[in-house]
Amino acid sequence: MLVKNQVLFLFKVLLLSSIISVLIKYGLDNLLIQKQTYLAPIIIFSPVIILFIILFQRQRKDIKL
């Protein structure tokens, strides 16, 4: 049962990461982004930060139980 939950969670994380990556690659090309260098780190690191927050909150929730 625990292995099934872990596999399901891993699949969800991979799916979310893939969706965010596709949105960045194809969705942001259609937006009018100015040629500003400060936008690059935000665009690159936002998926990593979002996934870190999700995983950190899930870990805190599991520890409390």
Side-chain angles (χ1 to χ4, degrees), residues 21-56:
S21 298
V22 168
L23 286 175
I24 288 173
K25 184 172 183 178
Y26 297 110
L28 292 180
D29 286 343
N30 298 330
L31 296 176
L32 297 174
I33 297 178
Q34 299 174 356
K35 295 181 180 179
Q36 302 292 331
T37 57
Y38 68 86
L39 289 176
I42 295 170
I43 293 170
I44 292 170
F45 292 116
S46 61
V48 175
I49 293 170
I50 291 168
L51 287 176
F52 172 77
I53 291 169
I54 292 170
L55 291 174
F56 183 73

Side-chain angles (χ1 to χ4, degrees), residues 11 15 22 34 43 49 53 56 58 60 62-63 65:
F11 177 73
L15 182 65
V22 168
Q34 299 174 356
I43 293 170
I49 293 170
I53 291 169
F56 183 73
R58 182 171 173 102
R60 284 184 45 215
D62 288 343
I63 290 174
L65 295 177

